[in-house]
Amino acid sequence: MALHATGTPGPPTTVVLFGATGDLSRRKLLPGLFRLLCTGLLPDVQVVGTSLEEHDRDSFIAFARTSLEQFHAPFSGPDWDRFAARLWWAPGGTPDSLRAAVAEAEQGLDQPRHRLHYLSVPPQAALAVIRTLRDAGLVERARVVMEKPFGTDLATARVLNASVHEVFDESQVFRIDHFLGKEAALNILAFRFANGLFEPTWNRNFIDHVQIDVPERLGLESRASFYEATGAYRDMVVTHLFQVLAFTAMEAPTALEPRAITEEKNKVFRSMLPITSDDVVRGQYAGYVDEPGVSPESETETFIALRCFIDNWRWAGVPFYLRTGKNLAEGQRIISIAFKEPPQSMFPDGSGISDHGPDHLTFDLADQARMSLSFYGKRPGPGFRLDKLSMQFAIDETAWAGSVLEAYERLILDAVKGDHTLFTTAEGVERLWEVSSALVEDPPPVRPYAVGSWGPNQIHQLIAPRSWRLPFERTWRG
């Protein structure tokens, strides 16, 4: 297949995939493992699948083929044959069946192997899987990938971490956040720390505020039971948006290696001020309580916007505005840095200065990995009329666009290699729940909003006298 990705290949690995016939596996994990094999980034991989569904090895191979046909670019017969030969099945996911399936998958392989256990299971099932791995004797030389949410408050997060640590050391645990696997998220680090142009201005003296905005057009998508127990804050803010905030706000690490980067992220979390109900707008889209599986009296938020502060030397007094929700007007994923406007204008009335707000640096976290810098420039011709202009960069304009890994592909490869750079730690998770305690214990009321809108009207009071960056006045260039 015509795929080429640069990077160091991962070591010989057996991936044990729990929830192997679920939606995440079908859409992301199986296609991702296939691509990692075919690009040579994971050249020696065996995949052992298990789930509560009735399957055998042949039916699992057929399931994987259907997944690739639906969610992967066209592939060749030889590539498929090579992948299919590496697929195995552990019926029922019991300790005995797992142990037997892994032994069968690794039979005759002479190189020492790592094992990566991917828990694509509901949060309430995670500890049962951890104990199953213990009973199966599959802990040594192993790493475990856990999906969000990591607890629902500080107490449950501490209990979860303590229970996991009874079986796996923290160095073996990889709490996954697919937002941080996106090329654009990594570009934030490159943009800030590889260039001398912007890092000197990346502080309270030059930046007025920061917005991290992740509206979703999709609704519940048959996830009512999960969402009723979670809500937008637990589902998206603690696990995704705060992680992106840390990349945006962190100090320069001493080296581009996991421990140094993790420490700088955790410093950001330790510097965050507690979030209270005064900092938050919660919303619920019209018709949510009529969804199957939702309580008619539900107070679960399907939308949240909040204001938070990082109380350190670099960011003191600079507000960070975060917003996400279901059934909104558009699906977007942006970070927008708003720079302070000049303290005094020498331009005449009617020149257009300040008509379009401050200069912005915008990162698009969608798969296209785009960046834009907006600024004022003079309109050609007589007089002095100013217009807002922008410079844009898109990764698909480059010769190395074909090397881009999808977020889950990158994160699986990093976990196989033991690289924690893009994963969260027990300390970081517990600190974020600590910051959130006042809000979790005393949330503001949910406000109604129309499907296809940008959320409740109260969001404008939250950000005033500023305004939300989305919806854009200008569109990305095609």
Side-chain angles (χ1 to χ4, degrees):
M1 60 194 301
L3 286 175
H4 303 281
T6 58
T8 306
T13 302
T14 299
V15 177
V16 181
L17 186 53
F18 292 86
T21 54
D23 192 59
L24 178 61
S25 176
R26 183 171 62 96
R27 290 175 177 269
K28 298 292 185 181
L29 304 182
L30 288 170
L33 287 166
F34 175 74
R35 187 167 188 257
L36 289 171
L37 171 68
C38 294
T39 55
L41 289 173
L42 206 52
D44 186 358
V45 63
Q46 303 288 324
V47 181
V48 177
T50 188
S51 76
L52 297 180
E53 296 186 19
E54 292 292 332
H55 277 282
D56 56 23
R57 186 182 181 193
D58 289 339
S59 64
F60 178 52
I61 291 173
F63 174 88
R65 170 117 195 181
T66 301
S67 300
L68 265 61
E69 289 171 345
Q70 286 183 288
F71 300 106
H72 195 281
F75 52 88
S76 69
D79 283 333
W80 163 250
D81 292 340
R82 190 154 60 104
F83 186 62
R86 298 162 183 268
L87 296 176
W88 307 83
W89 185 254
T94 64
D96 289 342
S97 70
L98 280 171
R99 189 185 307 112
V102 170
E104 186 179 11
E106 296 178 349
Q107 187 175 9
L109 302 176
D110 53 0
Q111 288 184 290
R113 304 187 69 79
H114 294 278
R115 291 166 184 154
L116 182 71
H117 306 305
Y118 198 115
L119 275 57
S120 179
V121 298
Q124 62 269 26
L127 284 182
V129 173
I130 294 289
R131 294 176 183 126
T132 298
L133 289 169
R134 177 198 60 196
D135 296 342
L138 298 175
V139 175
E140 288 189 28
R141 303 191 322 277
R143 300 179 176 114
V144 58
V145 177
M146 300 185 66
E147 285 281 345
K148 67 176 179 74
F150 314 114
T152 56
D153 54 24
L154 180 57
T156 56
R158 285 174 171 167
V159 169
L160 175 62
N161 285 329
S163 299
V164 171
H165 290 160
E166 290 176 1
V167 180
F168 288 95
D169 183 78
E170 176 65 16
S171 65
Q172 296 175 279
V173 182
F174 292 76
R175 298 167 187 82
I176 196 166
D177 173 14
H178 72 273
F179 270 47
L180 295 189
K182 293 181 177 295
E183 195 71 32
L186 297 173
N187 243 327
I188 298 170
L189 295 184
F191 190 89
R192 288 188 59 192
F193 302 127
N195 300 293
L197 179 60
F198 282 98
E199 182 57 24
T201 67
W202 209 265
N203 57 59
R204 58 188 171 85
N205 295 322
F206 298 94
I207 291 177
D208 180 77
H209 69 279
V210 177
Q211 293 183 34
I212 301 173
D213 213 348
V214 187
E216 295 184 274
R217 187 174 286 166
L218 296 176
L220 291 187
E221 301 292 295
S222 304
R223 299 171 70 219
S225 59
F226 167 81
Y227 215 77
E228 271 290 87
T230 307
Y233 187 79
R234 293 177 171 90
D235 182 39
M236 289 292 292
V237 177
V238 176
T239 52
H240 290 325
L241 273 63
F242 280 158
Q243 303 301 325
V244 175
L245 180 150
F247 263 22
T248 307
M250 63 187 269
E251 298 294 328
T254 55
L256 195 64
E257 56 92 16
R259 184 179 300 177
I261 292 175
T262 297
E263 175 57 22
E264 295 306 330
K265 286 171 56 185
N266 285 343
K267 284 181 183 177
V268 172
F269 299 148
R270 290 195 289 268
S271 299
M272 289 176 64
L273 294 177
I275 298 166
T276 69
S277 58
D278 293 337
D279 302 312
V280 173
V281 174
R282 297 167 70 232
Q284 187 182 93
Y285 66 77
Y288 172 76
V289 294
D290 300 322
E291 300 271 12
V294 173
S295 167
E297 291 82 31
S298 175
E299 290 292 308
T300 299
E301 80 278 358
T302 62
F303 169 98
I304 193 154
L306 63 100
R307 173 182 55 220
C308 61
F309 293 90
I310 301 169
D311 192 24
N312 62 18
W313 189 272
R314 182 184 291 262
W315 294 111
V318 176
F320 286 72
Y321 297 100
L322 283 59
R323 176 173 63 169
T324 187
K326 299 287 188 183
N327 274 330
L328 296 175
E330 293 180 21
Q332 295 273 0
R333 297 170 180 177
I334 71 158
I335 305 169
S336 187
I337 314 295
F339 292 94
K340 290 185 176 180
E341 298 190 67
Q344 186 173 353
S345 174
M346 66 180 184
F347 299 100
D349 293 341
S351 65
I353 189 71
S354 298
D355 284 358
H356 302 284
D359 300 338
H360 283 89
L361 176 65
T362 303
F363 296 88
D364 185 352
L365 297 185
D367 293 335
Q368 294 91 339
R370 299 177 293 195
M371 293 185 294
S372 172
L373 176 64
S374 68
F375 53 91
Y376 285 100
K378 180 185 177 299
R379 181 186 297 179
F384 221 106
R385 180 69 184 175
L386 301 176
D387 283 333
K388 206 68 181 245
L389 309 174
S390 69
M391 293 188 297
Q392 297 185 10
F393 160 81
I395 201 167
D396 58 12
E397 298 171 353
T398 68
W400 30 268
S403 297
V404 176
L405 292 178
E406 199 274 342
Y408 279 99
E409 296 168 0
R410 179 189 303 280
L411 294 169
I412 289 172
L413 182 62
D414 283 353
V416 164
K417 294 179 179 180
D419 186 338
H420 278 88
T421 301
L422 302 178
F423 296 86
T424 58
T425 65
E427 177 189 344
V429 168
E430 291 180 16
R431 171 57 185 165
L432 290 174
W433 283 121
E434 185 178 8
V435 167
S436 306
S437 292
L439 173 64
V440 171
E441 294 168 5
D442 183 27
V446 290
R447 310 284 186 176
Y449 66 94
V451 171
S453 69
W454 286 98
N457 290 331
Q458 287 78 8
I459 63 172
H460 302 296
Q461 300 166 10
L462 179 71
I463 202 172
R466 305 169 179 93
S467 59
W468 291 99
R469 182 78 166 132
L470 288 175
F472 285 130
E473 293 181 7
R474 293 168 305 283
T475 59
W476 292 97
R477 290 197 291 270

